[in-house]
Amino acid sequence: MKQLLEHIRTDALAAFSAAGDAQALDALRVKYLGKKGELTALLKQMGRLSPEERPVMGQLANQVREALASALERRQRDLEAQALTARLTSEAVDVTIPGRPAVLGHRHPMYIALDEIKDIFVSMGFQVVDGPEVELAEYNFDKLNAEEGHPSRDWSDTFYFDTDSRVMLRSQTSPMQVRSMEVMPLPIRIIAPGRVYRKDEVDATHSPMFHQVEGMVIDKNVTMADLKGTLNLLAEQLFGKGTVTRFRPHHFPFTEPSCEMDVQCHKCGGAGCPTCKGEGWIELLGAGMIHPNVLRMAGIDPEIWSGWAFGMGLERTAMRRFKIADLRLIFENDMRFLEQF
Ligand code: PHE
């Protein structure tokens, strides 16, 4: 019996210190000290011993049990400490590793073009103003001399919010002419950039949402020569010295006379190519002398004041400015495209 007890002690102690983790150690606890463990099994046989042997063996058995229990506890603590150290090492943050560089974005090419346009006009004393995209037909049409029945008011061209066609997504930035006339003291020089909406299918040159920059001057003795001079200056500053422009007669309800300005195609230099649809020219803006009716409706006396206005397509301007062939590239946000500017 004594030998058996000693044997269990040596065995168990060796096994405890060899246990690699808490789970293995717990299995050993069950094996040696559990209810069905080796030590318990041995103690059950104590009854067979002689009365002299019993207390001696009992004492020894207790010593072995205590030795095993305390060795078990020590090993448990060691394993916990080891596990903690391992975790601390594996989860340690190396603060000396260089950081990942932050990817810096930049302005969208269309907004680069817009900022250039703003700079050009601000340097000529224009103010930049902003207006609502959800607009009243009163401002988008009525006060711009486009009365009921005008083709541009048609449901097939315009996004209306109501059945009587009074509230709409603005189809042009021209309502900002009227809004400025109504609140600003004369003389006025403004540009008004922003989004406009028309029921157009998406293709290489069209989108149901696009941007315009409206421009307007109202002063005394303003003439068409001022309009042409200013717009030619704009074209040269934006597209480079020697940029060729042309003015064609056109019609708008709110200007008289009216015109459109084209710039010579950057791709073919005027010979005609797919980018300019064989025309040699790219239409950039509509313009004209503000119609006396428009001035009168805004409470401005056309006998004293005169003015001009223009509305330019911003996407087209950016396309000409950066030699972009397809309008859709401007809205698709493909990084391979955007990173080129
Ligand atoms: N609003 C016109 C358009 O969208 C452009 C324009 C603006 C024409 C100002 C004349 C004067 O086509």
Side-chain angles (χ1 to χ4, degrees):
M1 183 124 204
K2 184 170 183 241
Q3 257 173 6
L4 278 175
L5 277 170
E6 292 296 353
H7 190 67
I8 289 176
R9 188 201 324 241
T10 357
D11 254 18
L13 290 181
F16 288 170
S17 49
D21 56 35
Q23 247 183 323
L25 192 64
D26 198 54
L28 293 173
R29 180 186 59 77
V30 175
K31 180 176 177 204
Y32 291 106
L33 296 169
K35 280 204 181 83
K36 292 174 185 163
E38 290 186 17
L39 194 60
T40 320
L42 198 62
L43 289 176
K44 278 182 187 151
Q45 292 169 28
M46 291 281 257
R48 286 198 224 136
L49 298 173
S50 66
E52 299 82 55
E53 268 180 319
R54 221 174 284 158
V56 184
M57 281 306 132
Q59 208 181 0
L60 181 62
N62 274 337
Q63 274 169 16
V64 170
R65 192 211 303 277
E66 268 159 36
L68 293 195
S70 71
L72 190 77
E73 204 184 308
R74 236 180 297 123
R75 185 66 188 146
Q76 236 159 17
R77 256 185 272 122
D78 283 356
L79 284 176
E80 271 167 28
Q82 263 173 34
L84 183 65
T85 317
R87 230 182 75 195
L88 288 178
T89 325
S90 73
E91 290 176 5
V93 175
D94 183 352
V95 292
T96 65
I97 291 174
R100 287 192 202 107
V103 184
L104 267 193
H106 61 79
R107 282 175 306 161
H108 187 283
M110 195 177 68
Y111 284 93
I112 298 176
L114 177 57
D115 283 350
E116 290 175 357
I117 294 166
K118 283 183 185 171
D119 280 350
I120 294 165
F121 280 103
V122 166
S123 76
M124 292 191 280
F126 285 64
Q127 232 175 299
V128 182
V129 297
D130 198 18
E133 287 171 34
V134 175
E135 184 54 285
L136 300 171
E138 184 189 342
Y139 284 96
N140 198 89
F141 295 126
D142 298 339
K143 290 179 166 181
L144 284 169
N145 205 32
E147 64 264 341
E148 293 296 339
H150 191 275
S152 63
R153 303 184 70 136
D154 205 283
W155 271 71
S156 62
D157 295 329
T158 306
F159 294 103
Y160 288 105
F161 287 94
D162 59 338
T163 45
D164 6 304
S165 314
R166 298 312 307 168
V167 186
M168 54 181 291
L169 286 173
R170 65 179 177 188
S171 62
Q172 50 184 356
T173 44
S174 299
M176 287 311 291
Q177 291 182 29
V178 181
R179 288 189 175 274
S180 305
M181 288 182 215
E182 286 184 352
V183 299
M184 295 175 83
L186 296 166
I188 299 174
R189 285 184 183 142
I190 54 120
I191 59 166
R195 292 189 188 96
V196 301
Y197 302 83
R198 291 180 197 176
K199 287 188 180 167
D200 282 328
E201 294 294 329
V202 175
D203 67 23
T205 51
H206 292 88
S207 158
M209 184 282 295
F210 60 103
H211 297 71
Q212 285 188 334
V213 182
E214 195 78 8
M216 182 181 75
V217 170
I218 300 178
D219 206 335
K220 289 173 178 156
N221 307 314
V222 172
T223 72
M224 192 94 183
D226 301 312
L227 169 65
K228 289 180 75 171
T230 309
L231 293 179
N232 276 332
L233 189 80
L234 171 71
E236 285 219 321
Q237 297 214 351
L238 212 50
F239 305 130
K241 269 233 153 334
T243 299
V244 185
T245 61
R246 75 173 182 191
F247 291 82
R248 283 178 289 104
H250 201 75
H251 172 79
F252 298 104
F254 38 91
T255 46
E256 183 59 36
S258 303
C259 63
E260 283 189 326
M261 185 178 91
D262 302 334
V263 283
Q264 209 163 60
C265 177
H266 54 275
K267 267 270 152 68
C268 59
C273 71
T275 299
C276 57
K277 296 191 187 114
E279 301 275 321
W281 298 88
I282 294 171
E283 178 197 319
L284 206 64
L285 57 83
M289 301 307 292
I290 297 170
H291 198 293
N293 287 351
V294 174
L295 292 173
R296 235 176 266 122
M297 278 187 272
I300 296 171
D301 185 350
E303 300 301 328
I304 303 172
W305 302 93
S306 56
W308 53 256
F310 70 87
M312 70 197 288
L314 189 52
E315 284 80 1
R316 280 184 190 186
T317 308
M319 286 165 78
R320 173 68 173 73
R321 169 74 180 75
F322 294 112
K323 304 188 176 6
I324 299 165
D326 195 311
L327 172 77
R328 285 166 288 201
L329 288 167
I330 290 184
F331 300 122
E332 279 168 357
N333 286 336
D334 186 330
M335 292 296 282
R336 290 168 301 178
F337 166 71
L338 294 175
E339 275 165 357
Q340 296 173 37
F341 302 95

